[in-house]
Amino acid sequence: MRERKKEAYRSLLLLLLLGSLVAPSFCANVTYDHRALVVGGKRRVLISGSIHYPRSTPEMWPDLIQKSKDGGLDVIETYVFWNIHEPVRNQYDFEGSKDLVKFVKLVAEAGLLVHLRIGPYVCAEWNYGGFPLWLHFIPGIEFRTNNEPFKIENEYGNIDSSYGAGAKPYINWAASMAVSLDTGVPWVMCQQADAPDPIINTCNGFYCDQFTPNSNAKPKMWTENWSGWFLSFGGSVPYRPVEDLAFAVARFFQRGGTFQNYYMYHGGTNFGRTSGGPFIATSYDYDAPIDEYGIIRQPKWGHLKDVHKAIKLCEEALIATDPAISSLGPNLEAAVYKTSSGLCAAFLANIGTQDATVNFNGNSYHMPGWSVSILPDCKSAVLNTAKINSMAVIPNFVRQPLQVDSSDAVGSGWSWINEPIGISKDDALVRPGLLEQINTTADKSDYLWYSLSLEVEGGSSGSQDALHVESLGHGLHAFVNKKLAGSKAGSSSNAKVAVDIPISLIPGKNTFDLLSLTVGLQNYGAFFDKTGAGITGPVKLKRSANGTTIDLSSQRWTYQIGLKGEDSGLSSGSSSQWTTQPSLPKKQPLTWYKTTFSAPAGSDPVALDFTGMGKGEAWVNGQSIGRYWPTNISPNSGCTDSCNYRGAYNSDKCRKNCGKPSQQLYHIPRSWLKPSGNILVLFEEIGGDPTKISFATRQVGTLCSHVSESHPLPVDMWDSDSKTGKGSGPILFLECPSSDQVISSIKFASFGTPHGTCGGFSHGKCSSSKALSTLQKACVGSRSCSIGVSIGTFGDPCKGVTKSLAVEASCA
């Protein structure tokens, strides 16, 4: 990297603070007033979405940015992840997926703004909250308080009370430092109710309509609207219904908001050892509008796109005045934006869970429970958040065998190396007592060996003693006399481990090798940097023969940081140590595996299905795709077949995938693959069978839509000056996601009273006999089609009943 470029990056890092809005043109001035952010002298209603550059790849960025723009975003938000840019103090890295400047420039080239949350504490379910571990060892440092070696912050208000008297002066210093940089753009503090002027305090949460800035001179901003929730190893998969997310967005703008950001708009993947938590999974999909693989999630993406368009139809009125809010009845509310020049826009909300009829300005409006209707002219409801015009898609994974290259195929096509049990490196440490893991390893590896030899009297084969081990987490494997005796892991709710492991000792010398492991470091909470890990004890040997207990905690233990295979560079696959024989060892702990494979044909996103494996880490062509753990199964309860969007959402409300692996599929970016000769390396920690691994390509072949006669006209077709537009009925629209696909068949069509959801539609009590043939004629053979949802198109199979059209189609 050129020195000039390095200095520019260093200057960026030295800002070390908060968040800032960057305009795509360096000539555009950004300020704010009570009503909105002001960009280039004009108040703006801004829709933003989070995309974290290191959770995808540079090859994915242009497509993700374009899909975000197509979805109606004005702004891309990202953190700056300090620990990936300065992993070693004064050694900087801005290459590849860490090229923040390239990412920002791509956003600007697309004509979008950037909200740069510099942090550098980011939380974000990211390892150690984004801090580099070396920061922990600076003499005298105390994180997140008024401490001279440490002056940096983000998302502080929810934990500042824990820091006592040091919190307030610390926040005041941070605000003054930010403003003194004279960047020419506003600064925000997320979740900081007492953010000092001129810093804008903002809201994070599932709902922020009731949030009020701490000054009437500041705009109402929502920096994190959680589009779903993160996945933990051992947990079921969370999701958030789009009707609820759309309701939250509309409510925020109804009650005076003018900037909101989806966290996440594309979640992506926690490659390598970047996930925090602990126990945050490798997938960071977040049920976002663009999924982990870069595919648009429908109907979430499309329905939010319609919401954004409806809000933008109201923009001139929104930025000009405050809303006049009034009650229309129990749980019913109207907000009207009316200007002296005659502009008028209104939002009608039903914040109850039951449907209601609303009378407003002499007109009657049907309002489903937990919904908002948007009226750009204070008369016509262009959109209701509970009524989805956007189509749904069912993406699926198509499995295929891992294509082992024939030139490398001996027996199974896999080779292996056994990782030594216990101490195998020359740089081992000998210390009295039990060392805390993070202080010892500085997070250079997930692993730390604790080894001890002990003379035992009276041991004999067959005797059942017990080894008691307590650890701060996150997991451990105990080997006695070089054989695995037992294992235990913590969980996302309690990382600590306490276990009694039955063991058999031999007379004389016995060896105890304890492998402690982490699964991402703590990233959230007050004093999170003081949350330790590793076997801090006690460690006790419980003798069954005489009932005595020997405390081993204060013995002189030998320590090894990391694995021999890590130091030997086995992850690249280039070592000469690999063993290739027909008899592949399976179900054995601490085993490295390697094979060479050909990539699946085509351009569909690729994942590896790790069925058959236990726990470990995987590398493709030397790049880590992250930790895998398919044997960590989610609870059998807590999931529902469908989730009612009505009523307040929380992270446990809507769950799926109970009783199954929390994560079975692991994303391999296409840009990491060659047509053939790809090297896959695995470190298997607990034992597995690599021959059961398979490919899965992410494909979209099924489209659905369900539109009622009561739905409004598509937002794209609404025109406040068009009388014919307002008289038109709702329209059902289908489109294959890829330009080389066409609709090949109509699998289901019903106009009448159909019920069910995509993939499970069924006919109701009435159904038009013309539905299937009409859809086949209009759609088959075309990439897209649209058709009016009306009795004029399909006839009237049941008079006096509000009818709907449900369609399921296939693309090929």
Side-chain angles (χ1 to χ4, degrees):
M1 184 189 301
R2 296 192 309 272
E3 286 303 312
R4 185 177 176 184
K5 184 177 181 183
K6 186 184 294 185
E7 286 302 320
Y9 285 130
R10 185 179 288 117
S11 298
L12 176 63
L13 278 181
L14 290 177
L15 293 179
L16 298 178
L17 179 69
L18 315 176
S20 177
L21 191 77
V22 180
S25 168
F26 293 109
C27 298
N29 187 40
V30 183
T31 59
Y32 68 83
D33 61 19
H34 158 67
R35 218 28 232 118
L37 289 172
V38 181
V39 182
K42 182 180 179 182
R43 287 174 175 168
R44 295 281 303 276
V45 166
L46 295 172
I47 309 292
S48 174
S50 292
I51 299 176
H52 295 159
Y53 55 98
R55 282 176 158 142
S56 53
T57 65
E59 292 78 9
M60 295 172 67
W61 294 343
D63 183 62
L64 295 174
I65 294 166
Q66 187 59 48
K67 287 174 177 174
S68 302
K69 184 176 182 178
D70 293 344
L73 298 196
D74 308 290
V75 183
I76 300 292
E77 183 269 354
T78 187
Y79 287 117
V80 178
F81 296 86
W82 186 7
N83 56 5
I84 65 169
H85 295 303
E86 196 179 2
V88 177
R89 192 172 189 182
N90 296 321
Q91 294 182 22
Y92 296 93
D93 185 357
F94 286 85
E95 300 300 320
S97 63
K98 304 167 189 174
D99 194 341
L100 170 61
V101 171
K102 179 178 180 178
F103 180 78
V104 170
K105 287 182 176 179
L106 286 171
V107 175
E109 289 169 7
L112 302 179
L113 299 168
V114 174
H115 181 207
L116 193 65
R117 293 176 68 178
I118 294 172
Y121 169 71
V122 299
C123 188
E125 292 73 56
W126 191 262
N127 195 50
Y128 213 49
F131 288 150
L133 215 292
W134 55 259
L135 200 67
H136 179 78
F137 300 104
I138 293 177
I141 197 165
E142 292 183 58
F143 285 14
R144 314 192 77 187
T145 189
N146 198 35
N147 170 252
E148 243 353 273
F150 184 96
K151 291 281 181 83
I152 38 186
E153 205 36 69
N154 164 53
E155 289 185 304
Y156 193 62
N158 52 337
I159 51 93
D160 61 4
S161 61
S162 300
Y163 290 90
K168 184 65 176 179
Y170 172 46
I171 286 299
N172 289 337
W173 173 88
S176 297
M177 189 274 283
V179 174
S180 71
L181 294 172
D182 194 23
T183 59
V185 293
W187 292 86
V188 305
M189 281 184 172
C190 304
Q191 293 184 310
Q192 192 66 44
D194 59 352
D197 297 341
I199 306 294
I200 306 168
N201 65 305
T202 69
C203 182
N204 293 352
F206 291 117
Y207 308 95
C208 282
D209 49 289
Q210 300 301 314
F211 167 75
T212 302
N214 64 13
S215 165
N216 196 46
K218 300 175 184 178
K220 180 172 177 173
M221 295 179 63
W222 188 0
T223 37
E224 291 186 17
N225 177 1
W226 300 325
S227 59
W229 202 242
F230 55 84
L231 173 66
S232 297
F233 284 124
S236 52
V237 177
Y239 65 97
R240 186 180 184 187
V242 66
E243 297 95 331
D244 174 68
L245 184 55
F247 169 79
V249 173
R251 282 284 290 162
F252 178 73
F253 286 98
Q254 175 185 354
R255 297 187 65 90
T258 53
F259 176 101
Q260 82 93 38
N261 174 72
Y262 296 103
Y263 187 102
M264 302 292 296
Y265 200 74
H266 164 73
T269 307
N270 292 315
F271 298 113
R273 299 172 55 248
T274 59
S275 64
F279 296 98
I280 300 299
T282 300
S283 171
Y284 200 67
D285 180 82
Y286 225 92
D287 197 39
I290 304 174
D291 76 9
E292 178 181 1
Y293 299 87
I295 293 176
I296 286 172
R297 173 173 274 117
Q298 294 282 32
K300 183 167 276 190
W301 181 90
H303 189 47
L304 293 176
K305 176 183 179 180
D306 287 345
V307 172
H308 305 156
K309 288 182 178 179
I311 290 168
K312 287 301 181 76
L313 289 171
C314 306
E315 181 172 19
E316 288 189 57
L318 290 177
I319 61 174
T321 183
D322 290 324
I325 298 174
S326 60
S327 173
L328 300 177
N331 295 319
L332 301 174
E333 183 180 281
V336 178
Y337 292 84
K338 193 170 185 179
T339 70
S340 57
S341 62
L343 289 173
C344 187
F347 293 75
L348 309 180
N350 179 356
I351 57 176
T353 57
Q354 302 299 314
D355 292 4
T357 299
V358 174
N359 293 308
F360 173 73
N361 277 356
N363 295 315
S364 180
Y365 302 87
H366 176 260
M367 296 285 296
W370 207 251
S371 77
V372 176
S373 286
I374 300 175
L375 289 62
D377 59 358
C378 286
K379 297 177 182 178
S380 303
V382 69
L383 179 138
N384 179 274
T385 57
K387 297 179 180 181
I388 300 174
N389 275 333
S390 178
M391 67 178 183
V393 301
I394 301 181
N396 63 310
F397 284 97
V398 178
R399 263 65 169 192
Q400 55 185 282
L402 188 70
Q403 297 294 325
V404 175
D405 286 355
S406 57
S407 61
D408 195 41
V410 176
S412 65
W414 289 85
S415 54
W416 73 93
I417 296 175
N418 293 321
E419 175 68 28
I421 295 170
I423 308 303
S424 60
K425 301 194 307 185
D426 295 334
D427 58 354
L429 310 171
V430 180
R431 298 287 188 276
L434 296 164
L435 301 182
E436 191 276 329
Q437 183 165 349
I438 300 172
N439 284 333
T440 307
T441 67
D443 197 38
K444 293 176 181 177
S445 170
D446 281 357
Y447 303 102
L448 178 63
W449 281 107
Y450 297 67
S451 295
L452 177 70
S453 294
L454 188 70
E455 291 284 338
V456 174
E457 295 181 359
S460 61
S461 297
S463 66
Q464 283 295 303
D465 299 312
L467 185 66
H468 176 81
V469 185
E470 293 187 24
S471 168
L472 292 176
H474 309 140
L476 63 90
H477 306 292
F479 296 83
V480 177
N481 298 322
K482 304 302 180 182
K483 293 183 179 179
L484 181 64
S487 302
K488 185 71 180 290
S491 67
S492 59
S493 59
N494 182 12
K496 294 182 179 180
V497 174
V499 62
D500 286 283
I501 301 172
I503 60 174
S504 295
L505 300 177
I506 59 175
K509 183 179 179 180
N510 289 260
T511 60
F512 301 87
D513 295 300
L514 308 180
L515 181 61
S516 178
L517 59 108
T518 55
V519 193
L521 302 188
Q522 191 81 23
N523 65 264
Y524 174 75
F527 310 105
F528 79 88
D529 54 304
K530 298 182 180 180
T531 302
I535 301 167
T536 54
V539 176
K540 298 178 180 180
L541 177 60
K542 298 180 178 180
R543 305 304 309 277
S544 60
N546 55 19
T548 61
T549 297
I550 304 171
D551 193 335
L552 307 179
S553 306
S554 59
Q555 296 277 338
R556 287 183 67 83
W557 291 79
T558 304
Y559 296 90
Q560 175 181 299
I561 297 170
L563 307 172
K564 183 177 181 180
E566 290 177 311
D567 282 9
S568 302
L570 294 187
S571 60
S572 69
S574 59
S575 171
S576 60
Q577 305 172 42
W578 295 97
T579 301
T580 303
Q581 295 178 2
S583 56
L584 178 72
K586 300 175 183 177
K587 304 296 182 182
Q588 293 186 12
L590 306 188
T591 307
W592 293 83
Y593 295 102
K594 185 188 84 164
T595 195
T596 306
F597 67 94
S598 297
S603 59
D604 294 320
V606 180
L608 281 179
D609 184 335
F610 273 86
T611 297
M613 299 303 289
K615 176 187 179 295
E617 188 172 353
W619 295 262
V620 172
N621 296 326
Q623 301 197 68
S624 174
I625 64 173
R627 300 182 183 96
Y628 64 84
W629 201 352
T631 53
N632 205 332
I633 307 300
S634 66
N636 286 315
S637 61
C639 295
T640 57
D641 292 334
S642 62
C643 183
N644 188 348
Y645 70 88
R646 301 176 189 226
Y649 180 82
N650 63 70
S651 60
D652 291 323
K653 180 179 179 181
C654 304
R655 293 273 174 165
K656 58 185 177 182
N657 209 51
C658 281
K660 298 178 180 178
S662 297
Q663 186 176 351
Q664 184 174 329
L665 297 165
Y666 296 79
H667 180 207
I668 308 175
R670 272 282 180 181
S671 60
W672 292 7
L673 296 174
K674 303 175 290 186
S676 62
N678 299 284
I679 298 174
L680 172 63
V681 174
L682 315 173
F683 172 65
E684 174 53 50
E685 184 185 304
I686 62 179
D689 181 354
T691 65
K692 293 184 178 180
I693 292 176
S694 61
F695 281 128
T697 53
R698 183 78 158 168
Q699 300 179 7
V700 177
T702 299
L703 312 176
C704 294
S705 190
H706 192 178
V707 177
S708 167
E709 288 180 305
S710 67
H711 277 56
L713 185 73
V715 179
D716 281 341
M717 300 178 66
W718 193 88
D719 183 343
S720 61
D721 297 323
S722 170
K723 295 180 181 179
T724 56
K726 294 178 184 177
S728 302
I731 293 174
L732 183 143
F733 178 76
L734 299 173
E735 182 177 55
C736 295
S738 176
S739 60
D740 60 357
Q741 289 180 309
V742 297
I743 297 171
S744 56
S745 66
I746 303 298
K747 298 168 67 175
F748 178 89
S750 179
F751 178 76
T753 56
H755 45 82
T757 58
C758 189
F761 286 135
S762 59
H763 294 282
K765 292 183 178 180
C766 80
S767 182
S768 168
S769 60
K770 299 169 60 177
L772 182 60
S773 60
T774 301
L775 266 295
Q776 287 173 332
K777 183 177 180 181
C779 300
V780 173
S782 301
R783 183 190 173 192
S784 64
C785 62
S786 57
I787 193 162
V789 181
S790 68
I791 59 176
T793 306
F794 297 101
D796 193 350
C798 38
K799 296 184 183 298
V801 174
T802 300
K803 290 163 280 293
S804 63
L805 175 63
V807 180
E808 180 178 338
S810 295
C811 291

